[in-house]
Every structure is written in C-alpha cells, then in structure tokens.
Amino acid sequence: MKQVITAMLLSISGVAMSYPLDSDYWAHRSVLFFAPQQDHAVEKFLADEMRYRCQIQERDLVVVVMTPQQALGKTGPVASHGVSYLRDKYKVEDNKHIAVLIGKDGHEKHRWGATTNWQEVFEIIDAMPMRKQEMLNNTSVCSA
C-alpha cells in the first residue's frame, strides 16, 4: 500500500522550491494537508483529491500533502525548510492531521482536520470575491 500512496503523491505533485513561502500574493489558492504520517487519512485525502480533480483545477487550487517523510504537490517536492516554514506559519502541530485553505492573497481562509468535505471547501472558495469574478469570466467545464 505504501507504494501506491507514494505513486499517488508523485503523480499529483504540487509545490516546488519556488513555492511562494514569503509572498503576500500567491498565483493560486492552496490546500496544505499536514499529516503525522502516511496513513488512512492521507490515503482518503488523496483518493478524494483525484475524485474532485476537475473542480480543484477549475478553482486554481494547488493541493500539497506534507508528512515528516515527504511533502509533495503538483510541481514536485517541497524543501524541508519550506515544510518547517509552512508548519510554523500556520501553527500546525506535528502529530495532527490539519488541512489549511490559503487564498490567492496568501492568507488562511479555513482549516479542518483529517476529513475533507470538498463541497464545503468549494463553497468557501466560490464565495471569495476573486473567485466570483473568475466565475463571471469563465464557464465551468466540470460535470456536476
């Protein structure tokens, strides 16, 4: 099972060394999913991320999974100092499952535990002023 999880992490990839760690403006929204280890909660999160891939991409949302062993997102691994920085910045304890939604302004918009309700996350994003403007200019390509 660990091989499957590792393969999924590598295939969804999300953040590289150039991730905007200290910027006030990010080119995308982010969900940072911190976990103490690769476990059932990580497996479920990754499976759901694949299920909602179209809606995630449509909302310009980058998903990153961070465990002590690895931190991967769409564009590759996050450097260990980047993981520490993000864990400190968002005050995430090492032994907890915490997901943090970050807006394009670089600020935290919502946080939750091990279980992700993607519909709720999408509703929060869709209520954001910048997202409302995006929806006016672009029609959805994702099936309901």
Side-chain angles (χ1 to χ4, degrees):
M1 193 60 171
K2 277 189 174 183
Q3 292 170 329
V4 172
I5 294 171
T6 301
M8 287 178 73
L9 281 171
L10 290 172
S11 71
I12 68 159
S13 309
V15 199
M17 301 279 275
S18 62
Y19 204 72
L21 299 177
D22 58 358
S23 175
D24 287 334
Y25 176 79
W26 294 13
H28 52 77
R29 296 170 188 92
S30 299
V31 169
L32 307 177
F33 186 76
F34 298 90
Q37 61 191 2
Q38 284 185 233
D39 57 15
H40 179 71
V42 172
E43 289 176 34
K44 173 93 170 88
F45 180 84
L46 291 171
D48 287 348
E49 188 270 344
M50 295 292 283
R51 179 178 174 207
Y52 293 106
R53 173 71 49 100
C54 185
Q55 293 90 339
I56 287 168
Q57 289 175 344
E58 185 173 80
R59 287 167 178 81
D60 201 13
L61 186 60
V62 171
V63 176
V64 183
V65 176
M66 297 186 208
T67 67
Q69 296 80 24
Q70 57 190 337
L72 292 174
K74 186 176 171 187
T75 59
V78 178
S80 61
H81 69 277
V83 173
S84 296
Y85 174 85
L86 291 169
R87 191 175 285 282
D88 291 344
K89 180 175 182 173
Y90 296 107
K91 297 173 180 59
V92 175
E93 296 175 44
D94 291 341
N95 60 345
K96 302 240 176 169
H97 290 88
I98 300 290
V100 183
L101 172 64
I102 315 296
K104 286 188 174 184
D105 61 2
H107 294 110
E108 180 176 333
K109 304 300 181 186
H110 187 64
R111 113 177 1 223
W112 61 96
T115 304
T116 300
N117 179 336
W118 283 104
Q119 294 306 319
E120 180 181 2
V121 172
F122 298 150
E123 289 172 12
I124 292 167
I125 292 170
D126 291 348
M128 296 176 182
M130 195 177 293
R131 174 66 182 145
K132 286 181 181 180
Q133 188 63 43
E134 293 167 0
M135 290 187 299
L136 286 175
N137 296 329
N138 303 308
T139 58
S140 176
V141 297
C142 300
S143 59

